[in-house]
Amino acid sequence: FSNGQNSVVVNVDAGNQASADLQSPSTIGTSRVLATINGVTREVSVRFERALPDAIVVTANPDVVAASDTAKIVITATLLRDIGSVTDGTLVMFRAERNGAPVGRFTNITRTTNGMATADFYPGTSAGLITVVAGAQDTNVTGSVVVEVTP
């Protein structure tokens, strides 16, 4: 509940109604809500779903590297919602392409923490522009950034 506890006591108003604010837990799942008055208890279940992004902003650091097997670019995907924040632990998929063909490789891919996920991107030894795309699980929302590999 909004008081940070597993239960809350509230008073009944003049219309014989009572309310309490239920706070979303940090994990996805189902919570049981019990209400008891005069020894009579009623129960309802509330399912908490993953809060998915409405937009994804992708950045690259650095955004220009020299062609090399060891050149690394840190890609950061920031998942944004119009209201609230994305559920921590959301899986982000990264892909990279040049002229529609897959290129490079990703390592150290993280799940979201405070709306952000990162991956190390190794673009390889071919020069040119590469579009890196990030997308979140269970949604079609994507964001992208263009990086440059120089000869």
Side-chain angles (χ1 to χ4, degrees):
F1 288 94
S2 60
N3 65 358
Q5 302 297 315
N6 290 332
S7 64
V8 62
V9 176
V10 295
N11 294 320
V12 177
D13 66 17
N16 266 346
Q17 295 197 6
S19 65
D21 293 327
L22 183 62
Q23 187 174 18
S24 172
S26 60
T27 57
I28 298 164
T30 302
S31 294
R32 290 182 336 154
V33 178
L34 303 169
T36 303
I37 187 165
N38 295 330
V40 178
T41 300
R42 295 292 182 257
E43 177 181 334
V44 65
S45 294
V46 178
R47 174 126 178 97
F48 291 95
E49 301 286 339
R50 183 171 300 282
L52 297 173
D54 296 306
I56 300 175
V57 175
V58 183
T59 58
N61 184 26
D63 58 0
V64 177
V65 294
S68 163
D69 284 333
T70 59
K72 178 177 85 170
I73 300 172
V74 177
I75 305 295
T76 301
T78 303
L79 283 61
L80 305 169
R81 288 183 54 81
D82 295 335
I83 299 173
S85 57
V86 172
T87 304
D88 278 351
T90 299
L91 178 64
V92 176
M93 290 75 60
F94 294 91
R95 73 177 192 277
E97 55 189 46
R98 179 185 293 125
N99 300 323
V103 63
R105 64 183 171 89
F106 292 92
T107 65
N108 300 322
I109 299 170
T110 66
R111 290 177 179 254
T112 57
T113 301
N114 297 321
M116 296 173 66
T118 60
D120 293 338
F121 175 57
Y122 294 87
T125 58
S126 297
L129 298 177
I130 298 173
T131 301
V132 178
V133 180
Q137 74 181 69
D138 301 328
T139 180
N140 291 326
V141 177
T142 62
S144 65
V145 65
V146 175
V147 298
E148 182 179 5
V149 179
T150 59

